[in-house]
Amino acid sequence: MPRPLHRGVSGIRVSGNSNDFWDAEVKDKTEKGDSDRNHSSSQSFLSLRSPFRLFFQDNSPPKYGVTENGFTSDPFGGGTPRSRHRLTMLFLKLSLVVIVILALTGSFWWTISISTSSRGHIFRGYRRLQEQLVSDLWDIGELSLGPSRLKEIEFCSEEFENYIPCFNVSENVALGYSDGNEYDRLCGHGSRKSCLVLPPVNYKIPLRWPTGKEVIWVANVKITGQEVFSSGSLTKRMMMLEEDQISFRSASLMFDGVEDYSHQIAEMVGLRNESNFIQAGVRTILDIGCGYGSFGAHLFSKQLLTMCIANYESSGSQVQLTLERGLPAMIGSFNSKQLPYPSLSFDMLHCARCSVDWDKKDGIFLIEADRVLKPGGYFVWTSPLTNVHTFLRDKEKQKRWNFVRDFAENLCWELISQQDETVVWKKTNKKSCYSSRKPGSCPPICSKGQDVESPYYRPLQNCIGGTNSRRWVPIEERATWPFRSNLNKNELELYGLHSEELLVDSANYKTAVRNYWSLLSPLIFSDHPKRPGDEDPSPPYNMFRNVLDMNARYGGFNAALLEAGKSVWVMNVVPTTGPNYLPLVLDRGYIGVSHNWCEAFPTYPRTYDMVHADGLLSLEISQYRRCTMLDLFTEVDRLLRPEGWVIIHDKVPLIESARALTVQLKWDARVVEIESNSDERLLICQKPFFKRQATS
């Protein structure tokens, strides 16, 4: 069971020899155990063979010994006659049979007499005891492995500065992947490196928001000078401001016209300007092949939230540069797998020269775009292929355009406007449109078995999805932002929730955010009062920008941060091992994704300023895992920017285990008690800024 905590914010002290600690815990078991038992184990925090063996197995010899004829000796005396011995044994056997029969009979009548609600109560109680036992064994197993487990993890070599597990193009090509599939995510055995990723030699802490939206440090991203000056498309244009900076000018009409472009799209939809997108029901936008995020950067000031997705790129990455600007982005591909978003997730999809060939593979990419688009949502496509003057001179381009136009019509998309190279479609509001198509029209409607609401990198489906969802609500009928985030009683019933549950969740996170900031502000401005050449803002202004919530539940942490006026965006991750409330998170007007935390998150190193994990460790230990707690924390270290913060809220034994592992990660860590709950703790960690030495 959990050991008494060493109270205080300085953390938990693991003192003494680990074997002594283990012996104290299981003294009765080990005194007569086999001499070859070993307390070492693999680094898997769920590989608790040694603890389970010590708790549940007893290989010691029989207590009373064995006689020459094989019978157990009598502990009360010896020398009784053979007949008396046989009579005694017979009596004992008969008594045992009677006891067993009575026990089984009583158990049977007790079982059939118990009510269903009582059984559920007992089962839940048993589950709680089981989870506590696993938690205790995990804690003991981690801490009993001795100093060898607390050895600091080595730093990765320079070639892994931008390392992303699961994305290895050269390896995928060697395995035979082609036709764009070599850029797909492939998480196989050995895809992780057991080392800590260091930043580049000249890495600098990103400029605070909103300055960092327009100016980033060249050394913080992997990009060549040629890639800077050759990025001539509408959403990629940028310039070198100085030797060590890249400047983006999305708001400058003289530079790249993103403001004009956004205004044009609004007019094509029938709005006065892009500020009216909110009134039209648009809040979240999926920007496919986003360039360097200029479209989303401009719309952010209009309260529109744009998620950038693009293929993995080893250099000049659209996703990496967008994230460095403090804008939402992740690696995502239409090549062969469905995106890790639920059906009916986004109000608008945008593709400006996004390098997706929508006419290829019998339109299956358009089917996936339709799946994630809400009813009444907009699909905006800007491409030379849509320019009338272009395809009139090129029959092949005209053929490709005709395919996309006709296929979109079969998807029940209405072409509402076409200007220059930009086309805008509107997805149907009514399911009846699909049944009114010509008989045999393709693609067909997905059956209920095919229409999975929240797929996780499932192969692309050649049928229209989302039509079986209870969430089929046109964007015009939803509350506009920010009222959308507070769903009413009837809306919550779609997700199996009561309004009281959401209210309690919201209240808890409002309190948590106030407490987090009261804890972090003194730490930041006492431990790091000022960086050279940098002025401190008034706390807590602009302390963080990119935030990762590893166990988002209903999106309450996101909601609390916005209500508190924090200038942040949150990647709400709903683990595949827990309840799936990702549709609720997205319908509230936030962004998020499904993810298995035994796999690497699809983003570049040094992405987030803060990582938040509330109850994640408890959730993970309730599953049969194929990864270790150390694997999980090493991945968090990869995602976290230097000087970034980690907040973990969980049960005491798990916080103790996590605190011990922070030594290996070289994090500064402090444990904080929670006055209202003695069974839980906070673990506040900061990742130090380690610099790689320049090689001459």
Side-chain angles (χ1 to χ4, degrees):
M1 300 305 289
R3 297 176 293 115
L5 284 174
H6 297 278
R7 298 180 179 272
V9 297
S10 61
I12 295 174
R13 210 163 24 89
V14 183
S15 60
N17 184 281
S18 59
N19 289 332
D20 293 339
F21 167 72
W22 179 255
D23 290 340
E25 291 289 321
V26 292
K27 184 177 180 180
D28 292 335
K29 297 285 184 180
T30 57
E31 283 180 347
K32 297 181 181 293
D34 295 332
S35 60
D36 61 341
R37 280 188 179 156
N38 196 316
H39 295 298
S40 63
S41 73
S42 67
Q43 289 197 358
S44 171
F45 64 77
L46 287 179
S47 181
L48 295 174
R49 297 172 192 160
S50 177
F52 276 111
R53 182 168 67 242
L54 289 167
F55 273 86
F56 299 115
Q57 294 185 10
D58 191 350
N59 297 326
S60 59
K63 187 174 181 179
Y64 301 123
V66 180
T67 60
E68 291 182 349
N69 59 8
F71 289 98
T72 305
S73 61
D74 189 346
F76 303 105
T80 59
R82 183 180 297 270
S83 59
R84 183 178 176 182
H85 177 78
R86 287 179 177 175
L87 183 62
T88 302
M89 292 301 297
L90 179 61
F91 175 76
L92 290 174
K93 288 179 181 179
L94 289 174
S95 300
L96 181 61
V97 170
V98 171
I99 290 171
V100 170
I101 292 173
L102 290 174
L104 291 175
T105 304
S107 176
F108 172 75
W109 285 110
W110 178 80
T111 301
I112 64 174
S113 65
I114 194 170
S115 65
T116 302
S117 61
S118 297
R119 287 200 302 269
H121 177 74
I122 290 170
F123 175 75
R124 287 192 295 272
Y126 168 74
R127 286 284 297 173
R128 284 194 294 270
L129 289 173
Q130 185 185 50
E131 289 173 1
Q132 183 61 45
L133 175 61
V134 173
S135 171
D136 294 341
L137 292 176
W138 182 6
D139 176 50
I140 294 169
E142 286 286 341
L143 296 178
S144 67
L145 296 175
S148 61
R149 283 295 301 273
L150 299 179
K151 182 180 178 182
E152 290 188 348
I153 301 174
E154 299 295 328
F155 291 116
C156 301
S157 59
E158 187 175 352
E159 61 183 300
F160 292 105
E161 285 176 356
N162 295 286
Y163 165 65
I164 309 177
C166 305
F167 291 92
N168 190 324
V169 176
S170 58
E171 183 177 307
N172 290 350
V173 170
L175 291 172
Y177 291 92
S178 60
D179 195 23
N181 295 331
E182 63 271 22
Y183 296 99
D184 271 355
R185 172 181 178 275
L186 187 63
C187 293
H189 178 70
S191 60
R192 292 179 184 268
K193 300 293 181 185
S194 55
C195 56
L196 303 180
V197 178
L198 276 178
V201 172
N202 296 318
Y203 181 88
K204 297 181 180 179
I205 300 298
L207 299 171
R208 290 189 175 95
W209 181 270
T211 305
K213 181 179 70 171
E214 304 299 340
V215 180
I216 67 172
W217 302 109
V218 175
N220 289 10
V221 295
K222 187 176 182 180
I223 189 168
T224 64
Q226 180 62 30
E227 287 169 330
V228 170
F229 293 112
S230 64
S231 55
S233 69
L234 178 66
T235 56
K236 282 189 177 181
R237 290 178 190 160
M238 58 185 180
M239 61 177 287
M240 189 77 73
L241 184 63
E242 295 176 358
E243 277 190 9
D244 57 352
Q245 291 181 333
I246 297 174
S247 176
F248 302 84
R249 294 288 181 252
S250 61
S252 171
L253 299 178
M254 296 175 59
F255 188 68
D256 61 9
V258 170
E259 185 174 348
D260 273 351
Y261 174 66
S262 304
H263 190 83
Q264 177 191 354
I265 293 173
E267 290 183 333
M268 292 173 73
V269 169
L271 305 174
R272 183 177 180 180
N273 55 50
E274 60 270 34
S275 298
N276 298 114
F277 274 129
I278 291 288
Q279 284 69 40
V282 177
R283 157 66 178 171
T284 55
I285 301 170
L286 184 65
D287 195 2
I288 305 162
C290 62
Y292 299 128
S294 295
F295 184 63
H298 173 67
L299 294 179
F300 185 82
S301 62
K302 315 299 179 184
Q303 298 188 59
L304 300 173
L305 194 56
T306 302
M307 166 69 86
C308 161
I309 62 168
N311 280 339
Y312 165 77
E313 297 165 291
S314 59
S315 181
S317 166
Q318 302 170 65
V319 170
Q320 188 180 39
L321 270 79
T322 300
L323 288 166
E324 192 65 21
R325 299 180 67 182
L327 300 167
M330 62 175 282
I331 300 172
S333 171
F334 278 82
N335 291 328
S336 62
K337 304 288 179 61
Q338 289 183 316
L339 298 170
Y341 310 121
S343 300
L344 318 180
S345 289
F346 296 94
D347 305 312
M348 177 184 285
L349 267 64
H350 174 254
C351 163
R353 302 190 179 187
C354 62
S355 302
V356 176
D357 295 324
W358 298 108
D359 59 309
K360 301 298 183 183
K361 296 187 178 181
D362 300 322
I364 200 167
F365 302 145
L366 285 169
I367 295 174
E368 176 63 3
D370 177 83
R371 184 187 70 82
V372 299
L373 187 61
K374 291 181 184 290
Y378 300 96
F379 182 84
V380 181
W381 185 28
T382 298
S383 168
L385 197 64
T386 66
N387 191 315
V388 176
H389 303 292
T390 300
F391 64 64
L392 286 179
R393 298 190 301 268
D394 190 324
K395 296 299 180 182
E396 179 61 27
K397 287 185 177 180
Q398 184 176 6
K399 180 181 177 181
R400 294 179 62 190
W401 160 248
N402 289 340
F403 176 88
V404 173
R405 182 195 60 197
D406 295 343
F407 200 89
E409 184 178 350
N410 284 339
L411 289 171
C412 287
W413 291 2
E414 178 189 0
L415 198 162
I416 60 175
S417 186
Q418 183 172 4
Q419 293 182 20
D420 303 325
E421 294 187 351
T422 301
V423 183
V424 178
W425 283 277
K426 183 177 176 65
K427 180 175 176 175
T428 184
N429 286 336
K430 301 176 180 178
K431 295 182 183 179
S432 59
C433 174
Y434 302 112
S435 58
S436 65
R437 298 181 302 169
K438 295 178 182 179
S441 294
C442 288
I445 303 297
C446 290
S447 65
K448 287 188 177 181
Q450 292 175 298
D451 197 359
V452 178
E453 183 167 57
S454 296
Y456 185 69
Y457 297 107
R458 195 175 66 147
L460 290 170
Q461 302 294 300
N462 196 19
C463 57
I464 298 174
T467 59
N468 294 297
S469 175
R470 299 173 62 195
R471 297 168 45 246
W472 182 282
V473 180
I475 61 172
E476 299 91 344
E477 297 179 15
R478 293 181 179 271
T480 57
W481 178 262
F483 307 104
R484 179 189 290 191
S485 62
N486 299 313
L487 303 180
N488 61 41
K489 180 179 179 181
N490 294 332
E491 290 171 326
L492 287 173
E493 287 179 355
L494 297 176
Y495 315 97
L497 285 177
H498 298 291
S499 55
E500 294 79 11
E501 294 177 271
L502 192 62
L503 287 173
V504 170
D505 184 74
S506 299
N508 288 341
Y509 277 113
K510 287 177 186 177
T511 302
V513 166
R514 287 196 299 269
N515 292 339
Y516 293 165
W517 253 250
S518 66
L519 285 168
L520 290 174
S521 296
L523 292 177
I524 289 174
F525 294 104
S526 63
D527 295 353
H528 302 276
K530 187 176 180 181
R531 286 189 293 268
D534 197 8
E535 295 182 1
D536 287 332
S538 300
Y541 179 69
N542 291 355
M543 286 161 52
F544 309 105
R545 174 60 187 166
N546 300 359
V547 177
L548 173 68
D549 192 358
M550 299 179 72
N551 187 25
R553 293 191 181 92
Y554 316 141
F557 184 55
N558 193 155
L561 287 171
L562 295 182
E563 188 167 330
K566 309 305 179 187
S567 299
V568 302
W569 67 271
V570 180
M571 178 66 82
N572 295 281
V573 179
V574 175
T576 57
T577 53
N580 179 27
Y581 290 110
L582 184 58
L584 168 64
V585 171
L586 291 163
D587 289 350
R588 294 184 71 183
Y590 309 136
I591 55 175
V593 66
S594 297
H595 186 64
N596 179 351
W597 282 115
C598 271
E599 299 171 349
F601 196 71
T603 191
Y604 291 80
R606 303 172 297 280
T607 290
Y608 294 102
D609 303 300
M610 172 193 275
V611 175
H612 178 251
D614 182 5
L616 179 69
L617 302 182
S618 293
L619 175 65
E620 293 298 306
I621 67 165
S622 66
Q623 308 292 324
Y624 174 75
R625 312 303 292 151
R626 55 185 176 85
C627 59
T628 70
M629 186 193 285
L630 190 58
D631 289 335
L632 181 65
F633 278 42
T634 304
E635 174 64 5
V636 171
D637 184 87
R638 186 184 72 87
L639 301 177
L640 198 61
R641 286 174 171 170
E643 297 189 4
W645 293 84
V646 181
I647 300 178
I648 302 173
H649 177 199
D650 226 300
K651 297 175 183 176
V652 172
L654 303 179
I655 292 296
E656 287 182 322
S657 295
R659 173 65 180 89
L661 293 180
T662 60
V663 176
Q664 296 180 260
L665 297 163
K666 306 175 178 67
W667 292 353
D668 299 324
R670 310 182 184 194
V671 173
V672 180
E673 294 183 6
I674 301 174
E675 292 182 359
S676 59
N677 192 337
S678 61
D679 295 330
E680 298 176 356
R681 294 285 188 276
L682 285 179
L683 180 61
I684 310 291
C685 309
Q686 185 178 32
K687 176 182 176 178
F689 187 175
F690 292 107
K691 290 190 175 183
R692 187 185 300 279
Q693 298 298 318
T695 56
S696 56

